[in-house]
């Protein structure tokens, strides 16, 4: 997500870039405080982290239309947001399967 503005030569202060930077920062910071392998502080339960992951992906996917920049660019936001949603839901189902086995 962080390299997309460079790849598409988006202005760094544009709404399009700020959305990608914000989503990236949200996912990185949430990953740092979650109770999984990537967490440093380990205060956020994994199921809350995965919910925020999916919600961040959802907002990223629809942001071009909500923030009215879909006429300039929307595919990177839609693709990365959808990928985050799918990844978060897949990890959530894996988490639920493992939590029932323990």
């Amino acid at each position: 997500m962080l390299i997309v503005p460079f790849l598409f030569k988006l202005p760094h202060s544009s709404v399009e870039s700020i959305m990608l930077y914000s989503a990236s920062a949200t996912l990185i910071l949430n990953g740092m405080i979650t109770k999984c392998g990537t967490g440093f502080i380990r205060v956020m339960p994994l199921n809350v982290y995965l919910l925020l992951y999916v919600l961040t992906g959802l907002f990223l996917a629809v942001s071009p239309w909500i923030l009215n920049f879909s006429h300039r660019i929307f595919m990177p936001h839609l693709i990365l947001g959808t990928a985050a949603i799918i990844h978060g839901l897949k990890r959530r189902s894996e988490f639920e399967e493992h939590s029932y086995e323990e």
Side-chain angles (χ1 to χ4, degrees):
M1 276 187 226
L2 291 173
I3 64 169
V4 170
F6 300 106
L7 292 175
F8 288 92
K9 297 181 174 133
L10 300 174
H12 298 294
S13 61
S14 67
V15 177
E16 301 93 320
S17 296
I18 292 171
M19 272 308 304
L20 291 164
Y21 296 144
S22 299
S24 298
T26 300
L27 295 177
I28 290 169
L29 292 174
N30 286 342
M32 291 173 63
I33 64 170
T34 191
K35 291 181 179 178
C36 71
T38 60
F40 296 120
I41 301 173
R42 297 180 188 257
V43 294
M44 183 187 306
L46 185 59
N47 58 350
V48 174
Y49 165 72
L50 293 173
L51 175 65
L52 291 174
Y53 201 97
V54 170
L55 291 176
T56 301
L58 179 64
F59 188 69
L60 183 62
V62 299
S63 65
W65 294 276
I66 291 176
L67 300 174
N68 200 25
F69 61 85
S70 63
H71 60 282
R72 291 189 298 269
I73 189 168
F74 70 91
M75 285 304 285
H77 298 77
L78 182 61
I79 291 170
L80 291 170
T82 303
I85 293 167
I86 292 169
H87 180 71
L89 292 174
K90 184 176 183 264
R91 294 245 353 245
R92 186 174 179 95
S93 66
E94 291 170 1
F95 169 71
E96 290 172 352
E97 286 175 12
H98 292 297
S99 66
Y100 289 126
E101 291 175 4
E102 296 177 358

